[in-house]
Amino acid sequence: MAVELKETIDKRREEIMDACERLYETKGFHEITIKDISIETSFSRPSIYNYFQTKEEIFLGILTREYLKWNSSLKVISAYENVLTKEQFIEKIAKSLDERKTLLKISAMNLYEIEEKSRDELLVEYKRVFKDSVALFNDCLKKHFPKIKEDKRNEIRYAFFPYMYGVYPYAYPTKKQLLAMDKVELDYVKVTIYELIYTFLKLLLE
């Protein structure tokens, strides 16, 4: 009975997060309301509050889910029987993050506010999953670059994870930002998430 109840709760939480993520594709973080999410789902606003106390907690749930998905990709990369070449490794990491656009968007645009307005236990859950991401990324480096020493691996991780937070705004500038750059004649070269991750990892692993 308890297992069935947990499965029901998890399913409803997933439905709410799915609806919020769909809205986030076309609306800004501050534009989205619990009412919008309610309309997008089969839940009333009071019902949504049974699963998330704030809109920010819904986004934190989405971000946690995104990191879990990325962790699955990192596990596959670290589990390859044969050691990958540098080129193969970079391509696979870049592809894994190219598939996690929502992770990069939330991290870059709204993470601070989301963390501040979420319950401690949910924030701890997210941080635990993020910690796993860091450890798995390190495992990937150890597996495919065994000659790299621990100090160097730490340097790579400390550079790579903060860099991730800046990728989305550069790959997806707003129309307003592009207009301002055009007015001051600041060149902008359109670039993808994959290209940004690929180029930076290549530099780190030189």
Side-chain angles (χ1 to χ4, degrees), residues 27-190:
K27 301 181 73 170
F29 172 78
H30 292 102
E31 295 176 296
I32 297 171
T33 65
I34 295 293
K35 181 180 179 181
D36 294 329
I37 298 168
S38 172
I39 293 169
E40 191 75 15
T41 67
S42 59
F43 302 108
S44 65
R45 277 181 286 177
S47 294
I48 290 174
Y49 286 118
N50 289 328
Y51 304 99
F52 299 95
Q53 289 189 1
T54 62
K55 176 183 75 175
E56 287 76 14
E57 288 189 356
I58 301 174
F59 274 92
L60 188 63
I62 295 170
L63 185 59
T64 302
R65 184 171 68 177
E66 282 287 294
Y67 268 105
L68 285 169
K69 291 177 181 177
W70 189 44
N71 288 353
S72 295
S73 297
L74 292 176
K75 287 175 184 176
V76 171
I77 294 170
S78 67
Y80 272 94
E81 185 175 347
N82 298 322
V83 173
L84 299 173
T85 66
K86 181 167 71 174
E87 179 77 10
Q88 290 171 330
F89 177 82
I90 293 171
E91 286 179 352
K92 290 186 183 300
I93 293 293
K95 183 176 184 295
S96 73
L97 282 167
D98 194 46
E99 295 169 347
R100 302 266 69 84
K101 176 183 171 182
T102 302
L103 182 157
L104 297 173
K105 183 178 181 181
I106 295 175
S107 297
M109 311 292 281
N110 312 112
L111 182 58
Y112 187 86
E113 188 171 355
I114 287 168
E115 290 189 347
E116 282 297 304
K117 295 183 179 179
S118 296
R119 281 170 288 171
D120 290 349
E121 59 266 31
L122 298 180
L123 184 55
V124 168
E125 179 185 348
Y126 158 66
K127 294 295 185 182
R128 186 177 291 114
V129 174
F130 176 80
K131 180 182 176 183
D132 289 343
S133 300
V134 175
L136 286 165
F137 185 79
N138 187 60
D139 290 344
C140 290
L141 290 173
K142 286 174 69 175
K143 170 66 181 290
H144 300 294
F145 301 92
K147 293 183 179 180
I148 293 181
K149 295 182 179 180
E150 183 179 358
D151 287 351
K152 179 62 176 177
R153 285 201 310 272
N154 289 339
E155 287 179 12
I156 292 171
R157 291 203 322 274
Y158 292 146
F160 184 72
F161 277 84
Y163 176 82
M164 280 170 49
Y165 290 167
V167 167
Y168 181 86
Y170 203 91
Y172 294 95
T174 65
K175 291 180 181 179
K176 188 174 183 179
Q177 289 170 329
L178 289 172
L179 181 61
M181 286 188 281
D182 186 53
K183 285 184 177 179
V184 300
E185 298 181 348
L186 177 63
D187 291 337
Y188 171 74
V189 178
K190 185 168 178 57

